[in-house]
Amino acid sequence: LAVKDPTAVERANLLNMAKLSIKGLIESALSFGRTLDSDYPPLQQFFVVMEHCLKHGLKVRKSFLSYNKTIWGPLELVEKLYPEAEEIAASVRDLPGLKTPLGRARAWLRLALMQKKMADYLRCLIIQRDLLSEFYEYHALMMEEEGAVIVGLLVGLNVIDANLCVKGEDLDSQVGVIDFSVYLKSDDDIGGKERNVQIAAILDQKNYVEELNRQLNSTVSSLHARVDSLEKSNTKLIEELAIAKNNIIKLQEENHQLRSENTLILMKTQHHLEVSKVDVEAELQTYKHSRQGLDEMYNEARRQLREEAQLRQDMENELVVQVSMKHEIELAMKLLEKDIHEKQDTLIGLRQQLDEVKAINVEMYQKLQVSEEAMKEKNEIISRLEDKTNQINATMKQLEQRLQQAEKAQMEAEAEDEKLKQECVNKSESLQNEFSQKEKQLLQLETDLKIEKEWRQTLEDDLQKEKEAVSQLRAETQEIVNLKKEFLKLQEKNKQLKNICEDQEAALQELASKLSESKLKIEDIKEANKALQGQVWLKDKEATHCKLCEKEFSLSKRK
């Protein structure tokens, strides 16, 4: 035969004793039919059995004088794990007659039984086995499954109403001895099985009603809290709605102001645009007139240039004639060698005149370069004049060469020189007159060019002013467009605020409907509680249908 573990046997015996004591206590309490006192024997036996169960496997703790072994240590942990147990622990510590930890533990058990929460407190202890391992051995009853079974059995003690006086009792010096004679069966016990069945059914009904009351109380408290929170939220929403309405009124006023300002701005801008359009049209007309005048001036300048070209052609023809005359002079110089000395003086004068002509040509060339920036078309004419002057220079060089040749024949042409001198003087005077006329014509052309430049400068200034006016008008039109955009944004914000207000009003209506529904539910629950208070629970066999909805009961519906 296998040897049994003595600790397991002890746990089994204690579990059986706990079952017997709890069962006997419940049966005797129901047969007794009133609240139990501290002198009731089955109740005293129950406390003794609970002490033995709690002491099983308890570790010995060293103190200064001796070794200590009490159950008050693990019971003190309950107030840390279960906050509602703080009142019991505080009242146990404040009791004046208790001196030992064992007395405090006994007082704690009695108060827990009166509160009908002994099973809840011990269940918290059993769950936290890491903390219990400091006080109990690994094989203790509270550390094994038997402890959980005992806690489950203790739930049945919630049926009992106990009224125990802890203050005057001597709990420190009580001797905990189990009386087994109470648990021995007799003939009367066999005959009272039916009564026990009835008692068990009544106890089950009582437990069910108590649990229902607890659940209903918890639901009522939660509903009250919800109602309070909903009322607070309702008041807040009403305040927010009033603030939102005030904001909407302010926004509407601002919207009206902005609309009026916008209309004024539109009127001003339209008037300004009309005035600017009239000014622009007038300026365009003046520009067209000035352009026509410039075109006429340009045509006149072209006509003058054509006349100058014709004059230059005439000059070329005259130069050709002069060349032919010079050929004749060469022929005559051969005959007039005698008058060479007089002709040298005339030639010196002619050279000076040629130098002057060259200087005049250089000045004309510079003036034509200045006028090239404004009149590109005159460049070709000036280049032709330069070519012609170069030709004249070439011809003059040829004349000089020929004059050098003629110096050799001065002696032969001295007589004829006097006659030709007068002719040359006359021709040179005519050439000087023609050059002076050309200079006057050039001066007139320069003045005309200056006038044209001034006209162009004035026209450019007018165009710049017109561009600035157009840019100002564009800026004003851009400001009008921006104002329109801002006005559209404000309209969208107004619409959004209106939508938010409508949503808030709908939410308030929904909250009001929910509040009314919750109040109706609370009233229904209160009426159900009132209806349940004065009624008797029927047996499962008799109650086959629900009296409210007239539906057939199943096991889950019945519970």
Side-chain angles (χ1 to χ4, degrees):
L1 294 172
V3 179
K4 292 184 178 180
D5 188 5
T7 56
V9 174
E10 288 176 0
R11 289 198 301 273
N13 291 330
L14 287 171
L15 179 60
N16 292 324
M17 285 304 300
K19 287 179 181 179
L20 289 170
S21 63
I22 290 167
K23 184 179 179 182
L25 180 60
I26 292 168
E27 289 176 355
S28 61
L30 291 172
S31 63
F32 194 59
R34 59 187 178 86
T35 56
L36 303 179
D37 297 331
S38 59
D39 296 331
Y40 192 61
L43 188 60
Q44 291 178 356
Q45 287 296 315
F46 167 72
F47 287 127
V48 171
V49 172
M50 284 303 298
E51 285 180 18
H52 283 284
C53 291
L54 291 170
K55 283 179 181 178
H56 184 263
L58 195 66
K59 289 182 180 180
V60 178
R61 308 190 82 180
K62 292 182 181 181
S63 63
F64 291 105
L65 299 174
S66 62
Y67 293 100
N68 192 6
K69 187 176 180 181
T70 60
I71 59 173
W72 176 240
L75 294 178
E76 274 187 322
L77 286 173
V78 177
E79 62 178 340
K80 296 178 182 178
L81 301 173
Y82 203 83
E84 293 182 2
E86 292 178 356
E87 296 179 359
I88 297 174
S91 60
V92 167
R93 291 189 190 96
D94 294 336
L95 286 172
L98 299 176
K99 297 178 182 179
T100 61
L102 183 61
R104 294 191 188 94
R106 288 170 179 171
W108 190 89
L109 289 171
R110 283 159 175 75
L111 292 172
L113 182 65
M114 284 194 287
Q115 282 188 347
K116 297 183 180 182
K117 289 185 179 179
M118 187 184 288
D120 297 332
Y121 295 156
L122 293 178
R123 185 172 65 247
C124 293
L125 273 177
I126 290 167
I127 291 167
Q128 301 292 330
R129 291 190 178 181
D130 296 333
L131 297 173
L132 281 177
S133 62
E134 296 178 1
F135 299 97
Y136 289 101
E137 300 290 342
Y138 67 93
H139 57 78
L141 184 139
M142 296 296 288
M143 298 289 287
E144 297 293 336
E145 294 180 356
E146 286 83 357
V149 175
I150 290 169
V151 170
L153 293 170
L154 290 172
V155 176
L157 294 176
N158 292 334
V159 180
I160 298 170
D161 294 327
N163 188 6
L164 306 176
C165 185
V166 183
K167 192 173 182 180
E169 289 188 5
D170 188 10
L171 298 174
D172 294 329
S173 61
Q174 285 183 0
V175 179
V177 179
I178 299 171
D179 188 6
F180 293 100
S181 62
V182 178
Y183 307 108
L184 296 174
K185 290 184 178 180
S186 62
D187 295 332
D188 296 330
D189 295 331
I190 296 166
K193 285 183 179 179
E194 294 179 356
R195 187 182 68 183
N196 291 330
V197 170
Q198 293 176 357
I199 289 166
I202 291 165
L203 288 171
D204 291 336
Q205 291 176 1
K206 188 178 179 182
N207 288 327
Y208 181 68
V209 171
E210 286 180 353
E211 288 177 359
L212 269 178
N213 285 324
R214 286 180 184 176
Q215 291 176 0
L216 290 170
N217 288 324
S218 64
T219 53
V220 167
S221 61
S222 64
L223 287 170
H224 280 302
R226 285 181 184 175
V227 167
D228 293 332
S229 63
L230 288 170
E231 286 178 353
K232 289 178 181 178
S233 63
N234 192 4
T235 54
K236 287 180 181 178
L237 287 170
I238 289 164
E239 291 176 356
E240 289 176 357
L241 197 146
I243 292 163
K245 285 181 178 178
N246 292 324
N247 290 326
I248 287 163
I249 292 163
K250 290 179 181 177
L251 288 169
Q252 286 177 353
E253 291 176 354
E254 290 177 358
N255 193 358
H256 288 302
Q257 289 178 0
L258 288 170
R259 283 181 179 176
S260 62
E261 289 176 359
N262 193 3
T263 52
L264 290 170
I265 290 163
L266 285 169
M267 293 293 286
K268 287 179 181 179
T269 51
Q270 287 176 357
H271 182 68
H272 190 68
L273 285 169
E274 290 175 355
V275 172
S276 62
K277 282 180 181 178
V278 172
D279 294 334
V280 167
E281 288 176 355
E283 288 175 356
L284 286 170
Q285 289 177 358
T286 54
Y287 177 71
K288 286 178 181 178
H289 290 301
S290 62
R291 186 66 179 271
Q292 289 176 359
L294 287 171
D295 292 332
E296 291 176 356
M297 292 290 288
Y298 183 70
N299 292 321
E300 288 177 358
R302 288 182 70 181
R303 186 173 55 75
Q304 289 176 1
L305 286 169
R306 287 174 183 174
E307 290 175 357
E308 288 178 359
Q310 289 177 359
L311 289 169
R312 286 186 181 183
Q313 287 178 358
D314 296 332
M315 289 292 291
E316 286 177 357
N317 294 322
E318 288 178 356
L319 286 169
V320 171
V321 172
Q322 287 178 3
V323 169
S324 62
M325 290 294 289
K326 284 179 182 179
H327 285 294
E328 292 177 355
I329 290 165
E330 287 177 356
L331 294 171
M333 287 294 286
K334 290 178 181 180
L335 299 171
L336 298 172
E337 290 178 354
K338 293 179 181 181
D339 297 328
I340 290 168
H341 296 288
E342 294 177 357
K343 289 183 179 179
Q344 285 180 351
D345 296 327
T346 58
L347 286 170
I348 290 164
L350 289 169
R351 283 178 183 175
Q352 290 177 357
Q353 290 177 359
L354 285 170
D355 292 326
E356 290 176 357
V357 170
K358 286 180 181 179
I360 289 163
N361 287 324
V362 169
E363 289 176 359
M364 289 289 290
Y365 182 73
Q366 290 177 357
K367 290 177 182 180
L368 287 169
Q369 282 182 348
V370 172
S371 64
E372 277 176 0
E373 294 176 355
M375 301 293 289
K376 291 181 180 179
E377 295 177 356
K378 294 179 183 180
N379 289 326
E380 294 176 357
I381 297 164
I382 293 164
S383 62
R384 289 176 185 175
L385 288 169
E386 288 176 353
D387 293 330
K388 288 177 183 179
T389 53
N390 290 322
Q391 288 177 2
I392 292 164
N393 290 322
T395 53
M396 294 302 290
K397 287 179 181 178
Q398 289 176 1
L399 287 170
E400 287 176 357
Q401 290 176 0
R402 288 174 182 175
L403 286 170
Q404 287 176 2
Q405 290 176 1
E407 284 177 356
K408 293 178 182 180
Q410 283 179 359
M411 296 300 291
E412 295 176 356
E414 285 179 354
E416 294 179 359
D417 261 348
E418 291 177 356
K419 295 179 181 179
L420 292 170
K421 190 185 283 185
Q422 292 178 357
E423 292 177 357
C424 288
V425 169
N426 294 323
K427 288 180 180 178
S428 64
E429 287 175 356
S430 64
L431 287 170
Q432 286 178 357
N433 292 322
E434 287 175 358
F435 276 115
S436 63
Q437 289 177 358
K438 288 180 180 180
E439 284 178 355
K440 289 178 181 179
Q441 289 176 358
L442 285 170
L443 289 170
Q444 287 179 357
L445 289 170
E446 285 176 357
T447 53
D448 293 332
L449 286 171
K450 287 179 181 180
I451 290 163
E452 286 179 359
K453 285 181 180 179
E454 288 175 356
W455 273 101
R456 285 184 181 179
Q457 187 68 32
T458 53
L459 287 171
E460 285 176 356
D461 294 330
D462 293 330
L463 286 170
Q464 188 67 30
K465 288 178 181 178
E466 287 175 0
K467 287 179 181 179
E468 288 176 357
V470 170
S471 63
Q472 287 179 359
L473 290 170
R474 286 178 181 173
E476 289 176 355
T477 52
Q478 189 66 32
E479 288 177 357
I480 290 162
V481 171
N482 293 324
L483 287 169
K484 285 182 180 178
K485 288 180 181 178
E486 290 177 357
F487 181 67
L488 291 172
K489 287 180 181 178
L490 288 170
Q491 283 182 347
E492 289 177 357
K493 285 182 181 179
N494 194 1
K495 288 179 181 178
Q496 289 177 1
L497 288 170
K498 284 181 180 178
N499 292 323
I500 290 164
C501 287
E502 289 175 358
D503 293 333
Q504 287 177 356
E505 288 176 356
L508 286 171
Q509 289 177 358
E510 289 177 0
L511 287 170
S513 62
K514 288 179 181 179
L515 280 170
S516 62
E517 288 176 1
S518 62
K519 285 181 181 179
L520 290 171
K521 286 180 182 179
I522 290 164
E523 289 176 358
D524 293 333
I525 291 163
K526 287 179 180 179
E527 288 176 0
N529 285 326
K530 288 178 182 179
L532 287 170
Q533 285 178 1
Q535 294 179 358
V536 179
W537 193 262
L538 294 175
K539 292 181 180 180
D540 292 337
K541 293 179 180 180
E542 294 176 359
T544 57
H545 291 78
C546 181
K547 291 183 180 180
L548 294 172
C549 60
E550 295 183 355
K551 289 183 180 180
E552 192 173 349
F553 276 130
S554 62
L555 292 172
S556 61
K557 282 185 179 180
R558 180 65 175 159
K559 286 181 180 179

